[in-house]
Amino acid sequence: MTNTPNQPSRLELIEAILVRVATQQEVNTAAIAGLTVKQEVNTNALSDLTTKLDNLSDNVNELTENTNRVLSRSAVLDDVLLELRDSHEQHQQNFLEHQRTTNAALHSLEAILLQLLRIFPQQ
């Protein structure tokens, strides 16, 4: 390869390539440093999110336990309410039966009294 006055020499071309490579290496090193900082920020954010997710999971578990406890109590109260209704209906039926028998007894006593008054009129 012969050098012409307007063309750079082979050594100059290699030096220019080395300068470009060195410049690119500096740019890449700076970019890697920036990415390392971003990765550290993301790692910290991920750690914070993991902690928050653990807390949320604990809260959901506690809420689930509370809900299950409330639902269990509700089921017991529903059973008690049904028993109270049944008991109330039974008492109501008993009351109506007692009222009917009491009224029947009163009618019988009234009829007996009327017969006694006919037999023994008041003087």
Side-chain angles (χ1 to χ4, degrees):
M1 182 175 218
T2 57
N3 288 344
T4 58
N6 292 338
Q7 291 184 339
S9 70
R10 188 170 183 195
L11 181 61
E12 291 172 336
L13 289 174
I14 292 172
E15 286 176 348
I17 291 171
L18 287 174
V19 167
R20 281 196 313 260
V21 167
T23 302
Q24 187 62 47
Q25 187 175 2
E26 287 175 8
V27 169
N28 290 346
T29 301
I32 289 171
L35 290 173
T36 302
V37 169
K38 287 180 182 180
Q39 183 179 11
E40 197 173 311
V41 168
N42 288 340
T43 300
N44 291 337
L46 184 60
S47 177
D48 290 345
L49 286 174
T50 301
T51 301
K52 289 177 181 179
L53 183 59
D54 288 343
N55 290 339
L56 179 61
S57 179
D58 291 343
N59 289 341
V60 167
N61 288 338
E62 184 179 344
L63 178 62
T64 301
E65 289 173 9
N66 288 342
T67 301
N68 288 338
R69 199 168 30 253
V70 167
L71 289 175
S72 295
R73 289 178 182 170
S74 176
V76 169
L77 289 175
D78 287 346
D79 289 345
V80 168
L81 184 61
L82 287 174
E83 287 182 31
L84 284 174
R85 259 191 216 138
D86 291 346
S87 176
H88 174 71
E89 287 175 7
Q90 185 62 43
H91 286 293
Q92 186 69 22
Q93 288 174 357
N94 289 344
F95 173 78
L96 292 174
E97 180 62 22
H98 290 301
Q99 188 177 31
R100 187 187 65 72
T101 57
T102 301
N103 286 340
L106 285 175
H107 287 296
S108 294
L109 287 174
E110 184 180 359
I112 292 170
L113 182 59
L114 288 174
Q115 285 179 359
L116 286 175
L117 285 176
R118 277 189 217 127
I119 295 172
F120 301 107
Q122 290 184 359
Q123 300 172 342

